[in-house]
Amino acid sequence: MSAEIIDGKAFAAGLRARVADRVAAFRAAAGRAPGLAVVLVGEDPASAVYVRNKHKATVAAGMESFEHRLPAEVAEADLLALVAALNADPAVDGILVQLPLPAQIDERRVIMAIDPDKDVDGFHPVNAGRLATGLHGFVPCTPLGCLMLLRDRLGDLAGLDAVVIGRSNIVGKPMAQLLLGDSCTVTIAHSKTRDLSSVVKRADIVVAAVGRPAMIKGEWIKPGATVIDVGINRTEDGLVGDVDFAGAASVAAAITPVPGGVGPMTIACLLRNTLLSAHRRAGVPLAKDAI
């Protein structure tokens, strides 16, 4: 068997195009464009690349992009004051503070300070609670992108056995909640899980988000399973995922590559969340299946 490659780059391009179409309609209805504010503290090279890519995608979609760059030594109080100003700014529909933050700043305090209704990253505990209880809120962009790829590949997910490897607040936990919402039977596994290979072996859906290169071996994958590899690990051989791609691709029915799989979906879903926020804040209706 040779797995179908799930082209996240192509799917994300389609999602960004649909968002851009809806941005134009929103502008006509509301008299303004949706606005996304991104805050970058310091000069972390990877973070700077992410912020630059987010800015380009935001502008390409017809949205307003508000960039705020602060020095690495900025005081926590000054960052919190900026977040408060963005909360109050009617032109800003979404706020994203790029992580990680310098050591003198408590990330949790910053996340808690963001208005949950502008928290397009979906990290605020209020949005985590909304997701867990089935209420409308913002879902973290990476797991939302994974769910979109799974629905596109498999259609109805009800009854499928899913394993999420990783328990972070950013990917693992919300991914499990989303899969539960689609009526999967969900197991959350992690580095301390006993006999991890046997847990993975029974899964129809495997979502790997542990940050360890090729940790999930090909022989662990159930024949015919769908594998979503969230990992992006820099190695001497270049970027690799958390799954042994060659081994898994020989038995899985479908698998995301690294790069070109989940990664492009994250920014596309960020734009989607910002558009949703703009519609909610302006009271402009948006069909549930529009994007």
Side-chain angles (χ1 to χ4, degrees), residues 70-120:
L70 302 176
E73 62 273 13
V74 68
E76 182 179 285
D78 292 335
L79 175 56
L80 291 174
L82 172 59
V83 170
L86 296 174
N87 284 340
D89 189 340
V92 173
D93 298 294
I95 301 169
L96 184 154
V97 178
Q98 185 66 45
L99 303 179
L101 293 170
Q104 79 273 14
I105 297 174
D106 185 340
E107 289 186 358
R108 291 174 298 178
R109 288 194 67 191
V110 174
I111 291 170
M112 289 283 288
I114 297 171
D115 180 347
D117 292 329
K118 292 189 177 185
D119 168 41
V120 288

Short mmCIF file of all heavy atoms in Angstrom, two decimals, residues 70-120:
data_model
loop_
_atom_site.label_atom_id
_atom_site.label_comp_id
_atom_site.label_asym_id
_atom_site.label_seq_id
_atom_site.Cartn_x
_atom_site.Cartn_y
_atom_site.Cartn_z
N LEU A 70 7.71 44.73 19.88
CA LEU A 70 8.22 45.24 21.14
C LEU A 70 9.60 44.65 21.41
O LEU A 70 9.89 43.51 21.00
CB LEU A 70 7.28 44.87 22.29
CG LEU A 70 5.83 45.34 22.17
CD1 LEU A 70 5.00 44.82 23.33
CD2 LEU A 70 5.77 46.86 22.11
N PRO A 71 10.48 45.38 22.11
CA PRO A 71 11.81 44.85 22.40
C PRO A 71 11.75 43.67 23.37
O PRO A 71 10.81 43.56 24.17
CB PRO A 71 12.53 46.05 23.04
CG PRO A 71 11.44 46.93 23.56
CD PRO A 71 10.28 46.75 22.62
N ALA A 72 12.75 42.82 23.31
CA ALA A 72 12.78 41.62 24.14
C ALA A 72 12.74 41.95 25.63
O ALA A 72 12.25 41.16 26.44
CB ALA A 72 14.01 40.78 23.82
N GLU A 73 13.26 43.13 26.01
CA GLU A 73 13.33 43.50 27.43
C GLU A 73 12.08 44.23 27.91
O GLU A 73 12.04 44.75 29.03
CB GLU A 73 14.57 44.37 27.69
CG GLU A 73 14.59 45.69 26.94
CD GLU A 73 15.18 45.59 25.54
OE1 GLU A 73 15.37 44.45 25.04
OE2 GLU A 73 15.48 46.65 24.96
N VAL A 74 11.04 44.29 27.10
CA VAL A 74 9.83 45.01 27.48
C VAL A 74 9.27 44.49 28.81
O VAL A 74 9.34 43.30 29.10
CB VAL A 74 8.75 44.90 26.37
CG1 VAL A 74 8.23 43.47 26.26
CG2 VAL A 74 7.61 45.87 26.61
N ALA A 75 8.73 45.40 29.61
CA ALA A 75 8.14 45.01 30.89
C ALA A 75 6.77 44.36 30.65
O ALA A 75 6.05 44.71 29.71
CB ALA A 75 7.97 46.23 31.79
N GLU A 76 6.44 43.41 31.50
CA GLU A 76 5.14 42.73 31.37
C GLU A 76 3.99 43.72 31.42
O GLU A 76 3.01 43.61 30.66
CB GLU A 76 4.99 41.70 32.49
CG GLU A 76 3.70 40.90 32.43
CD GLU A 76 3.58 39.88 33.54
OE1 GLU A 76 4.27 38.84 33.47
OE2 GLU A 76 2.81 40.15 34.49
N ALA A 77 4.10 44.73 32.28
CA ALA A 77 3.03 45.72 32.40
C ALA A 77 2.81 46.47 31.10
O ALA A 77 1.66 46.79 30.74
CB ALA A 77 3.36 46.71 33.53
N ASP A 78 3.88 46.74 30.36
CA ASP A 78 3.74 47.44 29.08
C ASP A 78 3.06 46.57 28.04
O ASP A 78 2.24 47.06 27.25
CB ASP A 78 5.12 47.90 28.58
CG ASP A 78 5.72 48.99 29.46
OD1 ASP A 78 4.95 49.70 30.13
OD2 ASP A 78 6.97 49.10 29.49
N LEU A 79 3.39 45.28 28.03
CA LEU A 79 2.72 44.37 27.11
C LEU A 79 1.25 44.24 27.45
O LEU A 79 0.38 44.26 26.56
CB LEU A 79 3.41 42.99 27.14
CG LEU A 79 2.76 41.89 26.29
CD1 LEU A 79 2.61 42.31 24.83
CD2 LEU A 79 3.57 40.59 26.40
N LEU A 80 0.93 44.14 28.73
CA LEU A 80 -0.46 44.03 29.15
C LEU A 80 -1.24 45.31 28.80
O LEU A 80 -2.42 45.24 28.45
CB LEU A 80 -0.55 43.76 30.65
CG LEU A 80 -0.06 42.37 31.10
CD1 LEU A 80 -0.04 42.27 32.62
CD2 LEU A 80 -0.92 41.27 30.51
N ALA A 81 -0.57 46.46 28.88
CA ALA A 81 -1.22 47.72 28.51
C ALA A 81 -1.54 47.74 27.01
O ALA A 81 -2.61 48.23 26.59
CB ALA A 81 -0.32 48.90 28.88
N LEU A 82 -0.63 47.21 26.19
CA LEU A 82 -0.89 47.13 24.76
C LEU A 82 -2.08 46.20 24.48
O LEU A 82 -2.96 46.53 23.67
CB LEU A 82 0.36 46.63 24.02
CG LEU A 82 0.17 46.32 22.53
CD1 LEU A 82 -0.29 47.56 21.76
CD2 LEU A 82 1.47 45.77 21.93
N VAL A 83 -2.13 45.06 25.15
CA VAL A 83 -3.25 44.13 24.97
C VAL A 83 -4.57 44.81 25.35
O VAL A 83 -5.58 44.68 24.63
CB VAL A 83 -3.03 42.85 25.80
CG1 VAL A 83 -4.30 41.99 25.81
CG2 VAL A 83 -1.86 42.04 25.23
N ALA A 84 -4.56 45.57 26.44
CA ALA A 84 -5.77 46.28 26.86
C ALA A 84 -6.21 47.28 25.80
O ALA A 84 -7.41 47.43 25.53
CB ALA A 84 -5.53 46.98 28.20
N ALA A 85 -5.25 47.98 25.19
CA ALA A 85 -5.58 48.94 24.14
C ALA A 85 -6.16 48.25 22.91
O ALA A 85 -7.12 48.75 22.30
CB ALA A 85 -4.33 49.74 23.76
N LEU A 86 -5.62 47.09 22.56
CA LEU A 86 -6.14 46.33 21.42
C LEU A 86 -7.53 45.77 21.72
O LEU A 86 -8.39 45.73 20.84
CB LEU A 86 -5.18 45.21 21.05
CG LEU A 86 -3.80 45.65 20.56
CD1 LEU A 86 -2.88 44.43 20.38
CD2 LEU A 86 -3.90 46.44 19.26
N ASN A 87 -7.76 45.37 22.97
CA ASN A 87 -9.10 44.92 23.36
C ASN A 87 -10.14 46.01 23.11
O ASN A 87 -11.27 45.72 22.71
CB ASN A 87 -9.12 44.55 24.85
CG ASN A 87 -8.46 43.21 25.16
OD1 ASN A 87 -8.30 42.37 24.28
ND2 ASN A 87 -8.10 43.02 26.41
N ALA A 88 -9.73 47.26 23.36
CA ALA A 88 -10.66 48.38 23.27
C ALA A 88 -10.77 48.98 21.87
O ALA A 88 -11.65 49.81 21.62
CB ALA A 88 -10.24 49.47 24.26
N ASP A 89 -9.90 48.57 20.97
CA ASP A 89 -9.84 49.16 19.63
C ASP A 89 -10.93 48.56 18.74
O ASP A 89 -10.88 47.36 18.43
CB ASP A 89 -8.45 48.92 19.02
CG ASP A 89 -8.24 49.68 17.71
OD1 ASP A 89 -9.24 50.09 17.08
OD2 ASP A 89 -7.07 49.84 17.32
N PRO A 90 -11.90 49.35 18.28
CA PRO A 90 -12.99 48.78 17.46
C PRO A 90 -12.54 48.28 16.09
O PRO A 90 -13.26 47.51 15.46
CB PRO A 90 -13.96 49.97 17.33
CG PRO A 90 -13.13 51.19 17.55
CD PRO A 90 -12.08 50.79 18.53
N ALA A 91 -11.35 48.69 15.63
CA ALA A 91 -10.86 48.23 14.33
C ALA A 91 -10.22 46.85 14.41
O ALA A 91 -9.96 46.22 13.38
CB ALA A 91 -9.85 49.23 13.77
N VAL A 92 -9.97 46.38 15.63
CA VAL A 92 -9.29 45.09 15.84
C VAL A 92 -10.31 44.02 16.18
O VAL A 92 -11.02 44.12 17.18
CB VAL A 92 -8.23 45.20 16.96
CG1 VAL A 92 -7.65 43.83 17.29
CG2 VAL A 92 -7.13 46.18 16.57
N ASP A 93 -10.39 42.99 15.33
CA ASP A 93 -11.29 41.86 15.57
C ASP A 93 -10.57 40.66 16.17
O ASP A 93 -11.19 39.83 16.83
CB ASP A 93 -11.95 41.44 14.26
CG ASP A 93 -12.81 42.55 13.67
OD1 ASP A 93 -13.82 42.90 14.30
OD2 ASP A 93 -12.45 43.08 12.61
N GLY A 94 -9.27 40.56 15.91
CA GLY A 94 -8.50 39.45 16.42
C GLY A 94 -7.18 39.92 16.98
O GLY A 94 -6.55 40.82 16.43
N ILE A 95 -6.76 39.30 18.10
CA ILE A 95 -5.48 39.63 18.74
C ILE A 95 -4.67 38.35 18.87
O ILE A 95 -5.16 37.34 19.38
CB ILE A 95 -5.69 40.24 20.14
CG1 ILE A 95 -6.52 41.52 20.05
CG2 ILE A 95 -4.35 40.53 20.81
CD1 ILE A 95 -6.97 42.04 21.41
N LEU A 96 -3.44 38.41 18.42
CA LEU A 96 -2.54 37.27 18.52
C LEU A 96 -1.21 37.75 19.09
O LEU A 96 -0.57 38.62 18.50
CB LEU A 96 -2.32 36.65 17.13
CG LEU A 96 -1.50 35.39 17.01
CD1 LEU A 96 -1.91 34.60 15.77
CD2 LEU A 96 0.00 35.69 16.92
N VAL A 97 -0.84 37.24 20.24
CA VAL A 97 0.48 37.51 20.82
C VAL A 97 1.36 36.31 20.52
O VAL A 97 1.10 35.20 20.98
CB VAL A 97 0.39 37.77 22.33
CG1 VAL A 97 1.79 38.00 22.91
CG2 VAL A 97 -0.51 38.96 22.63
N GLN A 98 2.39 36.54 19.71
CA GLN A 98 3.24 35.44 19.25
C GLN A 98 4.01 34.83 20.42
O GLN A 98 4.69 35.54 21.18
CB GLN A 98 4.22 35.95 18.19
CG GLN A 98 5.08 34.87 17.56
CD GLN A 98 4.27 33.87 16.73
OE1 GLN A 98 3.41 34.25 15.95
NE2 GLN A 98 4.56 32.60 16.91
N LEU A 99 3.91 33.53 20.56
CA LEU A 99 4.64 32.79 21.58
C LEU A 99 5.85 32.11 20.95
O LEU A 99 5.85 31.84 19.76
CB LEU A 99 3.72 31.76 22.23
CG LEU A 99 2.42 32.30 22.86
CD1 LEU A 99 1.60 31.14 23.43
CD2 LEU A 99 2.69 33.34 23.92
N PRO A 100 6.92 31.85 21.72
CA PRO A 100 7.08 32.09 23.16
C PRO A 100 7.42 33.54 23.47
O PRO A 100 7.86 34.28 22.58
CB PRO A 100 8.25 31.16 23.52
CG PRO A 100 9.09 31.13 22.27
CD PRO A 100 8.10 31.17 21.13
N LEU A 101 7.22 33.91 24.74
CA LEU A 101 7.56 35.24 25.22
C LEU A 101 8.83 35.18 26.08
O LEU A 101 9.17 34.11 26.61
CB LEU A 101 6.40 35.80 26.05
CG LEU A 101 5.12 36.10 25.27
CD1 LEU A 101 3.98 36.41 26.22
CD2 LEU A 101 5.34 37.25 24.30
N PRO A 102 9.52 36.30 26.24
CA PRO A 102 10.73 36.31 27.07
C PRO A 102 10.44 35.89 28.51
O PRO A 102 9.30 35.95 28.98
CB PRO A 102 11.20 37.77 26.99
CG PRO A 102 10.61 38.30 25.73
CD PRO A 102 9.29 37.59 25.57
N ALA A 103 11.50 35.53 29.21
CA ALA A 103 11.36 34.92 30.54
C ALA A 103 10.71 35.83 31.57
O ALA A 103 10.06 35.35 32.51
CB ALA A 103 12.73 34.47 31.05
N GLN A 104 10.85 37.16 31.41
CA GLN A 104 10.30 38.07 32.42
C GLN A 104 8.78 38.24 32.30
O GLN A 104 8.16 38.90 33.13
CB GLN A 104 10.98 39.45 32.33
CG GLN A 104 10.48 40.36 31.21
CD GLN A 104 11.19 40.13 29.89
OE1 GLN A 104 11.88 39.14 29.72
NE2 GLN A 104 11.06 41.07 28.97
N ILE A 105 8.18 37.64 31.29
CA ILE A 105 6.74 37.80 31.05
C ILE A 105 6.02 36.48 31.29
O ILE A 105 6.45 35.43 30.79
CB ILE A 105 6.49 38.30 29.61
CG1 ILE A 105 7.11 39.69 29.44
CG2 ILE A 105 5.00 38.33 29.30
CD1 ILE A 105 7.04 40.21 28.02
N ASP A 106 4.95 36.52 32.04
CA ASP A 106 4.12 35.34 32.32
C ASP A 106 3.14 35.15 31.16
O ASP A 106 2.19 35.93 31.00
CB ASP A 106 3.38 35.55 33.64
CG ASP A 106 2.58 34.33 34.09
OD1 ASP A 106 2.28 33.47 33.23
OD2 ASP A 106 2.25 34.23 35.27
N GLU A 107 3.38 34.12 30.35
CA GLU A 107 2.52 33.89 29.19
C GLU A 107 1.06 33.73 29.58
O GLU A 107 0.16 34.20 28.88
CB GLU A 107 2.99 32.64 28.42
CG GLU A 107 4.30 32.84 27.68
CD GLU A 107 4.65 31.63 26.82
OE1 GLU A 107 3.89 30.64 26.84
OE2 GLU A 107 5.70 31.68 26.14
N ARG A 108 0.82 33.07 30.71
CA ARG A 108 -0.57 32.83 31.12
C ARG A 108 -1.29 34.14 31.41
O ARG A 108 -2.47 34.30 31.07
CB ARG A 108 -0.59 31.92 32.36
CG ARG A 108 -0.17 30.48 32.08
CD ARG A 108 -0.08 29.68 33.34
NE ARG A 108 0.93 30.22 34.25
CZ ARG A 108 1.20 29.72 35.46
NH1 ARG A 108 0.50 28.69 35.90
NH2 ARG A 108 2.14 30.25 36.22
N ARG A 109 -0.60 35.08 32.04
CA ARG A 109 -1.22 36.38 32.34
C ARG A 109 -1.56 37.11 31.05
O ARG A 109 -2.61 37.76 30.95
CB ARG A 109 -0.29 37.24 33.19
CG ARG A 109 -0.16 36.79 34.63
CD ARG A 109 0.47 37.87 35.48
NE ARG A 109 -0.41 39.03 35.61
CZ ARG A 109 -0.02 40.20 36.13
NH1 ARG A 109 1.24 40.36 36.55
NH2 ARG A 109 -0.88 41.20 36.22
N VAL A 110 -0.68 37.01 30.07
CA VAL A 110 -0.92 37.70 28.79
C VAL A 110 -2.12 37.07 28.08
O VAL A 110 -3.00 37.78 27.58
CB VAL A 110 0.34 37.66 27.91
CG1 VAL A 110 0.05 38.23 26.53
CG2 VAL A 110 1.48 38.43 28.59
N ILE A 111 -2.16 35.75 28.02
CA ILE A 111 -3.28 35.07 27.36
C ILE A 111 -4.59 35.40 28.07
O ILE A 111 -5.62 35.67 27.44
CB ILE A 111 -3.04 33.54 27.34
CG1 ILE A 111 -1.89 33.21 26.38
CG2 ILE A 111 -4.30 32.80 26.93
CD1 ILE A 111 -1.40 31.78 26.46
N MET A 112 -4.56 35.42 29.40
CA MET A 112 -5.77 35.73 30.18
C MET A 112 -6.24 37.16 29.95
O MET A 112 -7.42 37.47 30.10
CB MET A 112 -5.49 35.52 31.67
CG MET A 112 -5.34 34.07 32.07
SD MET A 112 -6.92 33.21 32.18
CE MET A 112 -7.60 33.95 33.67
N ALA A 113 -5.30 38.06 29.59
CA ALA A 113 -5.64 39.47 29.41
C ALA A 113 -6.36 39.74 28.09
O ALA A 113 -7.03 40.78 27.95
CB ALA A 113 -4.38 40.33 29.49
N ILE A 114 -6.23 38.85 27.12
CA ILE A 114 -6.87 39.05 25.82
C ILE A 114 -8.37 38.84 25.95
O ILE A 114 -8.83 37.88 26.58
CB ILE A 114 -6.28 38.08 24.77
CG1 ILE A 114 -4.78 38.36 24.57
CG2 ILE A 114 -7.01 38.18 23.44
CD1 ILE A 114 -4.06 37.32 23.72
N ASP A 115 -9.14 39.73 25.35
CA ASP A 115 -10.59 39.58 25.31
C ASP A 115 -10.92 38.24 24.64
O ASP A 115 -10.52 38.01 23.49
CB ASP A 115 -11.19 40.74 24.49
CG ASP A 115 -12.70 40.69 24.38
OD1 ASP A 115 -13.31 39.65 24.71
OD2 ASP A 115 -13.28 41.68 23.92
N PRO A 116 -11.63 37.34 25.32
CA PRO A 116 -11.93 36.03 24.71
C PRO A 116 -12.62 36.14 23.36
O PRO A 116 -12.45 35.27 22.51
CB PRO A 116 -12.84 35.36 25.75
CG PRO A 116 -12.50 36.01 27.04
CD PRO A 116 -12.15 37.43 26.70
N ASP A 117 -13.38 37.22 23.14
CA ASP A 117 -14.08 37.39 21.88
C ASP A 117 -13.19 37.97 20.78
O ASP A 117 -13.64 38.16 19.64
CB ASP A 117 -15.32 38.27 22.07
CG ASP A 117 -16.38 37.56 22.92
OD1 ASP A 117 -16.45 36.32 22.85
OD2 ASP A 117 -17.10 38.25 23.65
N LYS A 118 -11.92 38.26 21.12
CA LYS A 118 -10.93 38.64 20.12
C LYS A 118 -9.77 37.65 20.09
O LYS A 118 -8.80 37.83 19.35
CB LYS A 118 -10.39 40.05 20.40
CG LYS A 118 -11.39 41.16 20.19
CD LYS A 118 -10.72 42.54 20.27
CE LYS A 118 -11.70 43.67 19.99
NZ LYS A 118 -11.03 44.99 19.94
N ASP A 119 -9.89 36.58 20.87
CA ASP A 119 -8.82 35.58 21.03
C ASP A 119 -8.87 34.58 19.87
O ASP A 119 -9.31 33.44 20.03
CB ASP A 119 -8.99 34.87 22.38
CG ASP A 119 -8.13 33.64 22.53
OD1 ASP A 119 -6.96 33.67 22.10
OD2 ASP A 119 -8.64 32.62 23.07
N VAL A 120 -8.43 35.03 18.69
CA VAL A 120 -8.54 34.18 17.50
C VAL A 120 -7.56 33.01 17.50
O VAL A 120 -7.66 32.11 16.67
CB VAL A 120 -8.38 35.03 16.22
CG1 VAL A 120 -9.61 35.90 15.99
CG2 VAL A 120 -7.13 35.90 16.26
#
